[in-house]
RNA sequence: GCCGGGGUGGCCGAGGGGUCUAAGGCGCCGGACUCAUAAUCCGGUUUUCCGGGGUUCGAGUCCCCGCCCCGGCACCA
């Protein structure tokens, strides 16, 4: 048994997350957390709301409420939503959590004392009206290259070129429209170059890292790292702890990643086991896995490990990261302002949670961006979840229910072809298992679908509806094996669609919950009484889809 | 612009020098079956792998040039 830290990227909580955020971090992580627990591993699964930074501060100003009021509201909401999505967090925390705030301040003070942080004066755009320094992207103006009027201080959305705010024509503050001035300010910098050698060693020796993350990180390290500012002039954030840093806060990114640690601390504190977090974080054998979107790779392969190394406290470095590409919505990027996409609150109003989980997971963008379309959603639910899996389970259970007095039939010895079938299925379970071990979630789920397809093929070939007329024993054998395949599905589907897997498990006559992946290799008990079967899934008709889209419109009108 | 990843049939997608005249799925066509949710199963159907050049006995697979998409580039998170 090993110790595992399953860490899902912290959603930025200026709004409800959309489906892309969900599949990229939290949902993928949930599958692995559930899987590892089934395997008997010791797992702590954490994430939380990332609630500091300029966008939230600005959003709160616009709504005329305090940032804390804003994040309180969203944090509560999102926490509940994740529960409804059946995300099995051990702790879903937040960056306003006092344990986090305190930990971050002490952590950075330590880095300062160890000589990894220095201060420097720089020039920054400042809005006199708003009385605040403006991050580059809060300045708008005309692009000096393509003369697009809405270019931001960091980049022009029209021609894609990188910019600096000073080069914009007619720069203005994105909040009040005023003209920013340039003002000197002091900031604290994290001396990344000092850690370059150790980081290079870490990345190079970490053959567990996926090739894309590894190549990118090594390339960045070869090109050389630059020091990185860790303070901001924001009011909304964790107060910087350095001498003379009053009024400054820690840059969100540099503190939110430490949340993986503080959420673990909080989790064990709540259980009255104050020191147990150390068994995970200060243990070189702990395997920590980070579920992130592709934009997030360098933060988890370079900056986060750098912070951990700099602390000198022997925190366990990321064992690996599992990054996804993006989910697109009908060919476009999700966009809150333009309402392109589906949000995790809306989705739950439209279809059962397991339909969403299944569809998102079987289309998980592991190699390239995946384009969400309603047709693709419908196809995955209808053809794979309902027709292949659902129908196999239903035809098996109803056959047993009707012909064998609702008991899994008794067999003395399996015939050769039935025995062979059992072994074939066991091999497929092994394959699904191996794929999950490598975090190939999508492929693993596809393999499980093919187990159901194999069950269908087997039933057609052995035709127990004929056998039962001539040779009841033979039919019993076939149905016993089919019942085993249903059991396999109940166990292996659990990490992906826990509610439905649970239903299948109970329908097979088991009490309680599926707790052990090993059950997928154990034949069911003959004579076990099954429940009256009911279809676990149902098809989405064109009509259903139409209604859902209409409902979506209504939800959006309401809000 | 620089760095990393990617471009495979109508669509989704495996495959990273020979077993690729390219897996699997969806769709479509035909058949079987009737236990089951008009489901299931079997067979067929389609691409020569973004474009061009090269290396090699042999290239989706390696190299070079170009085009396109995604991400990063350090003050968005």
């Amino acid at each position: 048994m090993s110790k595992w830290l399953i860490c899902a990227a912290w959603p930025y909580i200026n709004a409800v997350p959309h489906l892309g955020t969900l599949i990229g971090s939290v949902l993928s992580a949930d599958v692995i957390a559930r899987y590892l627990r089934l395997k008997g591993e010791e797992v702590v699964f954490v994430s939380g709301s990332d609630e500091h930074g300029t966008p939230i501060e600005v959003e709160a100003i616009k709504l005329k409420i305090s940032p804390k009021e804003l994040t309180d509201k969203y944090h509560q909401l999102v926490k509940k939503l994740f529960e409804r999505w059946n995300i099995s967090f051990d702790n879903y925390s937040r960056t306003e959590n006092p344990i986090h705030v305190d930990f971050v301040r002490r952590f950075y003070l330590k880095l300062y004392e160890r000589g990894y942080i220095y201060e420097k004066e720089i020039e920054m755009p400042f809005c006199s009206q708003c009385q605040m320094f403006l991050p580059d992207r809060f300045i708008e103006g005309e692009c000096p290259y393509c003369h697009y009027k809405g270019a931001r201080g960091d980049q022009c959305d029209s021609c894609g070129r990188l910019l600096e705010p000073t080069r914009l024509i007619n720069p203005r503050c994105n909040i009040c429209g005023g003209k920013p001035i340039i003002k000197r300010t002091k900031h604290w910098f994290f001396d990344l170059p000092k850690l370059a050698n150790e980081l290079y060693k870490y990345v190079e020796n970490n053959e567990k890292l996926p090739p894309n993350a590894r190549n990118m990180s090594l390339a960045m390290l070869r090109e050389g790292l630059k020091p990185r500012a860790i303070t901001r002039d924001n009011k909304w954030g964790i107060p910087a702890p350095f001498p003379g840093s009053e009024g400054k806060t820690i840059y969100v990114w540099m503190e939110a990643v430490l949340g993986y640690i503080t959420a673990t601390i909080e989790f064990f504190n709540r259980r009255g086991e104050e020191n147990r977090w150390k068994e995970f974080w200060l243990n070189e054998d702990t395997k920590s896995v980070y579920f992130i979107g592709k934009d997030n790779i360098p933060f988890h392969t370079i900056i986060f490990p750098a912070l951990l190394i700099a602390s000198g406290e022997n925190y366990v470095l990321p064992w690996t990261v599992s990054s996804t590409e993006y989910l697109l919505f009908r060919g476009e990027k999700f966009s809150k302002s333009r309402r392109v996409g589906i949000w995790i609150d809306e989705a739950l109003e439209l279809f059962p949670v397991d339909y969403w989980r299944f569809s998102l997971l079987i289309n998980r963008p592991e190699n390239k961006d995946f384009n969400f379309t309603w047709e693709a959603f419908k196809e995955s639910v209808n053809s794979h979840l309902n027709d292949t899996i659902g129908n196999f389970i239903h035809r098996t259970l109803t056959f047993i229910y009707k012909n064998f007095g609702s008991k899994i039939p008794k067999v003395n010895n399996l015939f050769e072809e039935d025995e062979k079938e059992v072994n074939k299925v066991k091999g497929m379970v092994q394959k699904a298992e191996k794929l999950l071990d490598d975090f190939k979630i999508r492929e693993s789920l596809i393999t499980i679908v093919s187990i159901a397809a194999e069950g269908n093929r087997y039933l057609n070939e052995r035709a127990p509806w004929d056998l039962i007329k001539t040779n009841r024993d033979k039919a019993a054998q076939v149905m016993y094996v089919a019942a085993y395949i249903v059991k396999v599905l109940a166990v292996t589907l659990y990490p992906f669609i826990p509610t439905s897997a649970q239903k299948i498990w109970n329908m097979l006559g088991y009490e309680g919950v599926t707790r052990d992946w090993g059950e997928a290799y154990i034949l069911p008990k003959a004579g076990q009484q099954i429940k009256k079967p009911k279809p676990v899934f149902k098809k989405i008709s064109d009509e259903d889809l139409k209604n859902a889209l209409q409902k979506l419109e209504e939800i959006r009108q309401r809000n």
Side-chain angles (χ1 to χ4, degrees), chain A residues 22 31 35 181 257 262 356 360 373 385 391 409 444 455 496 556:
Chain A
L22 191 79
V31 174
Y35 165 70
I181 58 168
V257 280
T262 57
W356 287 109
L360 289 168
T373 59
L385 184 62
N391 186 243
S444 180
F496 302 89
R556 289 181 179 179

Side-chain angles (χ1 to χ4, degrees), chain A residues 188 211 218 241 259 288 324 326 382 394 397 479 519 555:
Chain A
W188 279 256
L218 287 174
S288 59
T324 54
Y326 284 163
N382 286 356
H394 195 244
L397 296 184
M479 292 322 293
E519 285 285 347
I555 295 168

Side-chain angles (χ1 to χ4, degrees), chain A residues 190-460:
Chain A
F190 179 40
D191 196 351
L192 268 173
K194 212 168 173 174
L195 295 149
N197 286 341
E198 275 169 282
L199 284 169
Y200 198 90
K201 248 185 277 166
Y202 158 67
V203 176
E204 199 178 29
N205 295 334
N206 192 343
E207 76 288 342
K208 256 292 172 191
L209 280 180
N212 61 341
R214 201 157 163 258
N215 290 345
M216 188 199 222
S217 308
L218 287 174
M220 286 176 73
L221 285 160
R222 264 183 242 113
E223 281 166 33
L225 302 172
K226 290 186 205 142
R228 174 147 188 153
I230 55 172
T231 50
R232 293 292 183 277
D233 284 299
N234 287 5
K235 294 178 196 73
W236 176 234
I238 295 178
F242 315 116
S245 68
E246 292 74 19
K248 312 271 176 187
T249 54
I250 302 282
Y251 174 40
V252 250
W253 240 109
M254 304 298 277
E255 48 105 341
V257 280
L258 297 177
Y260 298 126
I261 304 172
T262 57
T264 311
I265 296 173
E266 187 186 34
F267 169 67
F268 282 114
N269 283 2
R270 255 186 224 149
R271 293 165 36 129
E273 303 173 309
E274 273 76 12
N275 281 313
R276 280 205 59 209
W277 69 273
K278 294 180 185 167
E279 294 173 21
F280 285 79
W281 281 99
L282 301 178
N283 174 354
E284 62 176 343
D285 294 327
T286 297
K287 292 169 181 157
S288 59
V289 187
Y290 297 80
F291 291 84
I292 57 180
K294 63 177 161 184
D295 54 332
N296 230 321
I297 293 170
F299 280 98
H300 287 81
T301 57
I302 293 180
I303 294 178
F304 184 50
L307 291 172
L308 296 177
I309 294 169
S311 76
E313 302 219 16
N314 292 315
Y315 285 107
V316 64
L317 301 181
W319 187 62
T320 191
V321 300
S322 174
S323 69
T324 54
E325 302 284 309
Y326 284 163
L327 188 69
L328 303 179
F329 183 76
R330 302 169 79 187
E332 289 187 87
K333 274 192 214 179
F334 280 67
S335 159
K336 185 192 164 201
S337 55
R338 290 187 300 125
R339 275 279 143 182
V340 174
I342 313 276
W343 276 259
I344 68 168
D345 51 346
E346 299 170 338
L348 293 173
E349 306 297 320
L350 305 180
F351 292 103
V353 62
D354 279 349
Y355 291 19
W356 287 109
R357 288 181 60 119
F358 183 86
S359 177
L360 289 168
L361 289 165
I362 205 159
N363 292 315
R364 184 172 186 252
E366 294 185 2
N367 290 320
K368 59 183 176 196
D369 292 350
F370 179 78
N371 194 11
F372 177 96
T373 59
W374 288 107
E375 296 72 46
F377 173 72
K378 188 170 158 240
E379 184 207 305
S380 56
V381 170
N382 286 356
S383 142
H384 301 301
L385 184 62
N386 184 74
D387 293 350
T388 305
I389 296 175
N391 186 243
F392 169 70
I393 292 164
H394 195 244
R395 71 195 288 213
T396 300
L397 296 184
T398 47
F399 196 92
I400 291 173
Y401 196 81
K402 287 180 186 162
N403 295 292
F404 292 98
S406 76
K407 289 190 175 73
I408 296 174
K410 234 188 181 75
V411 283
N412 299 319
N413 288 299
L414 287 175
F415 279 109
E416 202 187 322
E417 50 258 80
D418 302 316
E419 183 76 51
K420 238 169 98 181
E421 181 66 13
V422 167
N423 289 331
K424 187 168 182 184
V425 169
K426 283 183 181 171
M428 294 172 89
V429 174
Q430 239 162 16
K431 185 179 168 197
E433 183 173 339
K434 170 77 173 51
L435 288 165
L436 282 179
D437 286 337
D438 292 334
F439 312 109
K440 292 184 178 162
I441 294 172
R442 183 184 123 79
E443 220 179 310
S444 180
L445 185 51
I446 290 171
T447 303
I448 294 166
V449 173
S450 74
I451 292 174
E454 172 57 29
N456 279 318
R457 201 202 52 69
Y458 170 73
L459 284 183
N460 280 27

